[in-house]
Amino acid sequence: MIPTSGPPGSVTVRAPAKINLHLGVGAPRGDGFHPLLTVYHAIGIYDDVTVRPSDSWRLTVETAPYLDVTAVPLGDDNIVVRAATLLADLHGVPAHADVLIRKEIPVAGGMAGGSADAAAVLVALDRLWGLDTSDEDMFRLAAELGSDVPFALMGGNVLGTGRGEVVESVRGGDVVRWWVVVTAREGLSTPAVYRRFDAMAADASPRPSPPHRLVAFLADPVEAITGLLHNDLQEPALDLRPELRDVLAAGEKAGALAGLVSGSGPTCVFLCSSADHARGVAAGLDGVGEHVLVANGPVAGAHVVEHA
Ligand code: ATP
């Protein structure tokens, strides 16, 4: 059981990776952001953020062996630092904590790992510092930090509008989907993928393509959604990383129901019909990409797993 009172010695919060079952992207708005209509789906690949009391700020990062720890910044450019500063400023408290991020989510992989860390540290520091921040303030800070951060607080299946930061739960939260995830050795820059989108889709409508049919079938058997997965950033990502076409083809050959690039890539994800099917597809993809993982979704958003 997780105690909820008394000053904690440490708090650990777990936050999931996301994939976009549908990612409709419109032409850039006046403020430079692209309007999105997206269906987020949280899957069971996690970053854990542990915070401890301290009289200064310290950030440490550890990663799973398949990730490059040097790709994660340790200074002010880590989104966790920005998240801690925003939360501390809101309440007028010093941003003092000893923070450890343990990463499983691919870095610059199109799975919103940084956003997961930001959501996790907001929840963890709120508890550590005894702030009791309202949900409204939490979601406002999250949206300020990044388009995917409000979703990382929620988890599940979520419709994202605006630039992705306006979030609303959708159906299918209790229907388990199985995925095989193929990571890449080198990440892709999200802004670079959007720039390629702008170059390739110069006539894009300002209104992103809607996921009506997908949302209608989200609670149905897996075959109903197989043909409805869609990602407007897939072609730009493939244009920047042509070898991902081979990864997608390998997934199809290994028997996946459907494959797609996750968000801005380069991670590729493959929909399967069961845990056994996913393990079989994963075995068929052995040696493809940097690392092959099996995960299910949807899973919970940022949540406390340890409060010692
Ligand atoms: P997006 O949410 O734009 O799809 P992504 O999932 O592709 O992003 P992230 O892993 O969130 O990529 O990281 C994008 C970049 O942000 C990294 O290349 C890194 O330089 C920087 N970064 C800052 N903080 C973090 C963090 N806590 N974890 C990972 N990367 C971070």
Side-chain angles (χ1 to χ4, degrees):
M1 204 167 116
I2 297 166
T4 52
S5 60
S10 76
V11 181
T12 298
V13 173
R14 177 163 292 173
K18 64 85 181 157
I19 61 183
N20 305 81
L21 303 180
H22 174 98
L23 180 51
V25 181
R29 314 187 299 203
D31 62 3
F33 285 106
H34 292 76
L36 302 184
L37 269 172
T38 187
V39 177
Y40 293 109
H41 177 77
I43 66 167
I45 298 174
Y46 299 101
D47 284 359
D48 281 356
V49 174
T50 299
V51 298
R52 293 187 174 80
S54 172
D55 52 14
S56 62
W57 172 265
R58 189 165 80 116
L59 175 62
T60 316
V61 177
E62 292 172 2
T63 61
Y66 56 87
L67 301 181
D68 172 14
V69 72
T70 65
V72 185
L74 290 172
D76 290 355
D77 42 355
N78 194 302
I79 190 169
V80 156
V81 179
R82 273 207 304 131
T85 308
L86 278 184
L87 185 68
D89 287 353
L90 175 71
H91 294 278
V93 299
H96 289 169
D98 192 340
V99 179
L100 168 65
I101 306 174
R102 274 173 294 204
K103 289 192 81 72
E104 264 185 13
I105 305 174
V107 180
M111 304 194 89
S115 302
D117 298 352
V121 89
L122 284 178
V123 174
L125 290 177
D126 182 61
R127 183 71 73 91
L128 184 79
W129 293 338
L131 300 174
D132 218 5
T133 309
S134 66
D135 284 356
E136 195 188 337
D137 279 339
M138 258 337 200
F139 277 90
R140 190 174 46 76
L141 296 186
E144 198 173 328
L145 285 162
S147 302
D148 297 336
V149 183
F151 165 71
L153 284 175
M154 282 180 85
N157 287 337
V158 163
L159 178 68
T161 55
R163 54 181 165 81
E165 88 286 14
V166 181
V167 285
E168 144 191 15
S169 220
V170 286
R171 73 186 79 204
D174 52 356
V175 181
V176 180
R177 309 292 186 195
W178 285 93
W179 301 90
V180 174
V181 176
V182 178
T183 72
R185 179 176 293 273
E186 223 185 292
L188 260 178
S189 145
T190 305
V193 176
Y194 273 104
R195 280 195 298 275
R196 190 55 64 102
F197 170 87
D198 291 338
M200 293 173 74
D203 58 349
S205 159
R207 294 154 68 97
S209 67
H212 298 318
R213 291 189 60 224
L214 174 72
V215 171
F217 293 126
L218 268 178
D220 287 24
V222 69
E223 295 74 21
I225 64 164
T226 295
L228 298 176
L229 304 180
H230 174 81
N231 180 4
D232 278 339
L233 294 183
Q234 179 153 315
E235 283 307 317
L238 292 175
D239 199 57
L240 289 168
R241 232 8 117 65
E243 63 269 29
L244 295 180
R245 290 187 196 279
D246 300 335
V247 177
L248 293 175
E252 195 179 317
K253 189 161 168 245
L257 299 176
L260 93 161
V261 169
S262 177
S264 54
T267 307
C268 292
V269 295
F270 297 95
L271 180 62
C272 298
S273 56
S274 65
D276 276 351
H277 181 214
R279 280 190 282 270
V281 169
L285 282 165
D286 191 30
V288 174
E290 172 71 3
H291 193 65
V292 181
L293 296 155
V294 171
N296 68 323
V299 297
H303 59 282
V304 176
V305 286
E306 202 178 350
H307 179 131

